[in-house]
Amino acid sequence: MMAQFTQYLQSADIDTLNLNHSSTQPVPQRDKIKHLLIGSPQAVTSTIRYLQVIGYASVGDWSPLLPTANQGEVMSILIRQIFI
């Protein structure tokens, strides 16, 4: 159950967490995950703001809105390090 929550912690938090566990548990490995939002500028911006409100990612963590090949559509990407 602990692994479910550690994937979203910052590295400083993980170091503290590791100090509180016995050394017999495996050390979590880092892996990248990419979130890609595609839609209207309003929909993408609204989703990015919502993800900040729920504490998942800050607005500044996302790339700027980039146009796609479809008129009126943009995309933004967030790359995070998670622990697995």
Side-chain angles (χ1 to χ4, degrees), residues 10 12 15 18 21-23 34 36 45 53 57 62 69 74 78 84:
Q10 300 296 325
D15 292 339
N18 285 336
H21 287 313
S22 69
S23 60
K34 298 175 184 177
L36 181 62
T45 301
V53 168
W62 290 86
V74 297
L78 168 70
I84 52 173

Side-chain angles (χ1 to χ4, degrees), residues 15-72:
D15 292 339
T16 301
L17 189 62
N18 285 336
L19 293 175
N20 295 329
H21 287 313
S22 69
S23 60
T24 59
Q25 292 190 355
V27 176
Q29 300 296 312
R30 288 182 182 226
D31 202 355
K32 283 185 184 178
I33 187 165
K34 298 175 184 177
H35 301 283
L36 181 62
L37 297 176
I38 300 174
S40 70
Q42 297 84 1
V44 171
T45 301
S46 175
T47 302
I48 290 171
R49 288 181 182 151
Y50 175 72
L51 291 171
Q52 178 168 316
V53 168
I54 65 171
Y56 184 73
S58 296
V59 169
D61 294 343
W62 290 86
S63 72
L65 299 182
L66 304 168
T68 68
N70 299 325
Q71 185 175 358

